[in-house]
């Protein structure tokens, strides 16, 4: 029978419930179990697809095209299992489904209520993941903080599940803050006690309490006090302190036998986790042999979570090359013709990630131009590819007014325009080109060198495409179209093949990168940045 683990959070938001859940998933997988993970979000949006990155960080896209919460990225990177549309549920989606059923008469005239109709919809969603995946364990993170009004239906639903499957087949993990007071040089357990009491008042008794703290909890009395007052076993109070590297969290938690305790409480008989590969990876991460500086030029740089998967993919590639990747965050609005060389000088690589809207676009175009003219490794993702095409069309192919239909509807030379069948008249939610699509790679290109394959599959999230009317003009000017859809209609990738790395891709490769398996394009990009840095230093040394 599938076992169900529910992860809740208390005291404050942003404690790292997602990292705790992802770390546990990795540890259980290392014990030979098949693990599935999902996130329940209490906001009323149907999905994060139409939300501002400043509100919620990046939108993570699954293989089947679901626009989901960024925590699903943590699940995939840690557990290394592809998630799907059943991995993220919002209040908006729950009510959408229930209201549609009511309109179709599926409730046979009943009065539709939070209990049982809303809670049943949530329960069915959770159960479906177990059925669809055949997982031994389903880990469900409940967004928000205990005490939030909007999360109460989710809490009630998982309470009912625990009764239906039995306590031996369900487990509650509560992540709480244990603040450290500098004035008295001590940790305080009272916020955790209050949070657990709130959870118990909703009918849920936590089995394991994970204590988040920036400072190591050295006073054993804290653990004993929380175990006693919160009615859990002494070894079920586990510390999760802040560490330098995110991927060190599973190893830190396992020092307290986290996964062993979970398996014991769920009656799972498993071997000890095989931690060697993960431990070796952490050792490499901690001992870099060098460093490169990458300029991330974007429009949402004030909130780094807006580019979370891109940043992690850059770091993964750095781990593979055993270098530290230092990221210089550059707001594209600050790039002007008179400032661009000052701001971008000294970079070993430039990456322009995805985004929407016309704000900061001219600064991105200046960044692509600077990279092309100075032969700096350039990586354009989605919008970043379109930026490279616009810049090349303007400054190499002789189309000075080249632009995208997204930024200038009246532009005569739209080298980037709507996808076939798209327009501004359609709803914004869920109508992009979403999910995995196949791309055929042109032989003898940077793309082929990085992937080592002629056909690949990558995840998309966009509405605008390379305008095929300009294919011949741009390729005649020297732009290489290195990747196409299988039918040849859609341009997936462009590059300057005479450079070590100048690549733009219409898809989002960052979603498929893993800490122990970096994405080949990011690995190629960082490799080129390392070589560029060496050549730059060599030239500087020879100048003296």
């Amino acid at each position: 029978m599938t076992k169900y683990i529910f992860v809740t959070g208390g005291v404050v938001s942003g404690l790292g419930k997602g990292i705790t859940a992802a770390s546990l998933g990795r540890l259980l997988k290392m014990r030979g179990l098949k693990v599935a993970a999902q996130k329940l979000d209490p906001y009323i949006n149907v999905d994060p697809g139409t939300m501002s990155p400043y509100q919620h960080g990046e939108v993570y896209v699954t293989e089947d095209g679901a626009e989901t919460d960024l925590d699903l990225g943590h699940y995939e990177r840690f557990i290394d299992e592809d998630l799907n549309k059943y991995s993220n549920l919002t209040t908006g989606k729950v009510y959408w489904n229930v209201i549609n059923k009511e309109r179709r008469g599926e409730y046979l005239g009943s009065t539709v209520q939070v209990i049982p109709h809303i809670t049943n919809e949530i329960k069915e969603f959770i159960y479906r993941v177990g059925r669809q995946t055949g997982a031994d364990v389903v880990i469900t993170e409940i967004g928000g903080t205990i005490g939030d009004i909007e999360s109460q239906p989710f809490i009630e639903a998982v309470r009912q599940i625990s009764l239906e499957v039995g306590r031996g087949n369900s487990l509650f993990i509560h992540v709480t803050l244990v603040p450290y007071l500098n004035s008295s040089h001590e940790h305080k357990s009272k916020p955790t006690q209050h949070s657990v009491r709130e959870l118990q008042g909703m009918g849920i008794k936590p089995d394991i309490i994970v204590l988040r703290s920036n400072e190591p909890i050295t006073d054993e009395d804290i653990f004993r006090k929380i175990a006693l007052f919160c009615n859990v076993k002494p070894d079920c109070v586990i510390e999760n302190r802040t560490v330098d590297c995110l991927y060190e969290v599973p190893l830190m938690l396992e020092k307290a036998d986290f996964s062993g305790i979970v398996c014991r409480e769920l009656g799972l008989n498993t071997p000890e986790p095989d931690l060697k590969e993960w431990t070796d990876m952490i050792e490499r991460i901690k001992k870099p042999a060098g460093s490169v500086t990458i300029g991330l030029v974007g429009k949402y740089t004030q909130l780094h979570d807006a580019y979370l998967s891109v940043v992690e993919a850059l770091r993964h590639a750095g781990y593979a090359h055993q270098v530290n990747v230092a990221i210089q965050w550059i707001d594209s609005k600050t790039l002007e013709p008179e400032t661009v060389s000052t701001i971008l000088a000294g970079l070993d690589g430039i990456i322009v990630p995805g985004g929407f809207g016309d704000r900061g676009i001219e600064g991105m175009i200046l960044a692509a131009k600077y990279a092309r003219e100075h032969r700096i490794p350039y990586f354009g993702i989605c919008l970043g590819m379109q930026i490279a095409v616009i810049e090349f069309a303007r400054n190499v192919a002789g189309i000075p007014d080249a632009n995208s239909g997204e930024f200038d509807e009246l532009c005569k030379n739209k080298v980037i325009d709507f996808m076939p069948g798209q327009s501004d008249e359609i709803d914004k939610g869920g109508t992009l080109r979403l999910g995995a699509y196949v791309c055929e790679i042109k032989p003898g290109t940077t793309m082929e060198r990085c992937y080592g394959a002629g056909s690949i599959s990558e995840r998309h999230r966009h509405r605008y495409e390379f305008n095929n009317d300009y294919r011949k003009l741009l390729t005649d000017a020297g732009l290489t179209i290195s990747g196409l859809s299988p039918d040849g209609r859609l341009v997936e990738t462009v590059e300057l093949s005479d450079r070590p790395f100048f690549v733009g891709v219409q898809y989002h490769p960052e979603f498929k990168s893993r800490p122990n398996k970096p994405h080949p394009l990011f690995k190629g990009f960082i490799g080129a940045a390392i070589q560029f840095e060496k050549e730059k230093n060599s030239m500087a040394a020879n100048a003296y």
Side-chain angles (χ1 to χ4, degrees), residues 270-281:
T270 65
E272 290 296 308
D274 182 2
L275 303 176
K276 185 178 187 310
E277 180 191 7
W278 206 261
T279 302
D280 291 345
M281 180 187 74

Side-chain angles (χ1 to χ4, degrees), residues 169-453:
N169 294 313
S170 64
L171 184 82
F172 289 97
I173 298 174
H174 193 50
V175 182
T176 73
L177 176 69
V178 178
Y180 181 80
L181 299 185
N182 288 320
S183 58
S184 58
H185 304 291
E186 62 180 342
H187 287 90
K188 290 295 186 180
S189 66
K190 195 64 71 177
T192 294
Q193 295 176 45
H194 285 304
S195 178
V196 170
R197 186 172 64 185
E198 181 94 22
L199 188 60
Q200 290 172 337
M202 303 173 81
I204 290 175
K205 174 188 173 298
D207 302 285
I208 297 173
I209 299 174
V210 175
L211 309 180
R212 278 289 289 118
S213 175
N214 287 328
E215 301 288 337
I217 304 174
T218 56
D219 186 357
E220 290 298 321
D221 284 342
I222 292 287
F223 296 93
R224 287 192 290 268
K225 183 187 294 185
I226 290 174
L228 178 63
F229 290 169
C230 297
N231 197 25
V232 299
K233 298 174 183 177
D235 65 350
C236 288
V237 182
I238 294 172
E239 179 185 11
N240 181 1
R241 68 179 179 275
T242 303
V243 291
D244 293 332
C245 174
L246 201 62
Y247 302 107
E248 196 175 353
V249 174
L251 301 181
M252 178 190 62
L253 291 173
E254 195 58 14
K255 287 180 180 178
D257 196 27
F258 187 34
S259 68
I261 293 168
V262 167
C263 288
R264 181 193 72 198
E265 296 299 305
L266 288 173
L268 291 167
N269 185 18
T270 65
E272 290 296 308
D274 182 2
L275 303 176
K276 185 178 187 310
E277 180 191 7
W278 206 261
T279 302
D280 291 345
M281 180 187 74
I282 296 300
E283 289 301 314
R284 291 196 306 273
I285 292 171
K286 288 184 172 182
K287 298 177 181 178
S291 178
V292 292
T293 302
I294 303 298
L296 192 154
V297 181
K299 56 173 64 179
Y300 314 120
T301 52
Q302 292 92 332
L303 181 67
H304 294 182
D305 274 359
Y307 303 113
L308 181 60
S309 290
V310 171
V311 170
E312 290 304 309
L314 288 170
R315 289 172 176 161
H316 300 165
Y319 302 158
H321 287 288
Q322 280 198 282
V323 298
N324 177 58
V325 177
I327 296 174
Q328 185 171 323
W329 295 87
I330 301 169
D331 187 336
S332 59
K333 290 189 302 181
T334 65
L335 293 179
E336 302 283 349
E338 59 273 11
T339 63
V340 63
S341 59
T342 302
I343 294 174
L344 301 184
L347 297 177
D348 304 314
I350 294 172
I351 187 166
V352 178
F356 295 90
D358 60 359
R359 183 174 58 83
I361 292 301
E362 292 302 321
M364 297 179 195
I365 292 172
L366 286 172
K369 182 174 186 284
Y370 186 87
R372 179 180 56 79
E373 292 180 342
H374 292 80
R375 301 183 68 86
I376 300 173
Y378 175 89
F379 192 9
I381 296 174
C382 195
L383 173 62
M385 169 195 152
Q386 297 171 4
I387 291 296
V389 171
I390 294 169
E391 189 282 322
F392 189 88
R394 288 183 184 181
N395 300 308
V396 180
I399 315 174
D401 66 337
N403 213 328
S404 166
E406 181 181 8
F407 314 139
D408 184 0
E409 294 181 6
L410 303 179
C411 171
K412 292 182 179 179
N413 288 293
K414 298 177 183 176
V415 293
I416 304 294
D417 208 357
F418 279 120
M419 294 190 308
Q422 294 276 5
S423 77
D424 257 341
E425 302 304 315
I426 60 176
D427 291 338
K428 294 294 187 287
T431 58
L432 303 166
R433 188 179 189 219
L434 293 165
Y437 289 88
V438 173
C439 169
E440 303 293 339
I441 297 175
K442 182 179 180 180
T445 58
T446 304
M447 284 284 294
E448 185 189 49
R449 185 175 74 249
C450 289
Y451 278 99

Side-chain angles (χ1 to χ4, degrees), residues 2-53:
T2 299
K3 308 286 186 176
Y4 294 89
I5 298 173
F6 303 106
V7 181
T8 57
V11 184
V12 296
S13 60
L15 287 179
K17 296 191 305 293
I19 298 299
T20 301
S23 297
L24 177 59
R26 183 73 201 188
L27 292 168
L28 294 177
K29 185 177 180 179
M30 288 172 172
R31 286 178 174 268
L33 296 170
K34 182 172 177 55
V35 179
Q38 62 180 180
K39 173 81 180 288
L40 309 182
D41 277 305
Y43 50 74
I44 299 177
N45 303 67
V46 173
D47 59 44
T50 59
M51 294 172 69
S52 165

Side-chain angles (χ1 to χ4, degrees), residues 93-130:
K93 194 177 293 182
V94 172
Y95 276 84
W96 179 283
N97 292 344
V98 169
I99 289 171
N100 284 332
K101 288 180 179 179
E102 186 272 334
R103 293 290 85 187
R104 293 193 298 266
E106 293 187 23
Y107 297 122
L108 303 177
S110 298
T111 301
V112 179
Q113 298 175 292
V114 173
I115 301 172
H117 301 99
I118 296 299
T119 51
N120 282 350
E121 190 71 23
I122 297 169
K123 285 157 57 180
E124 172 57 26
F125 188 90
I126 295 171
Y127 284 135
R128 189 184 295 130
V129 170

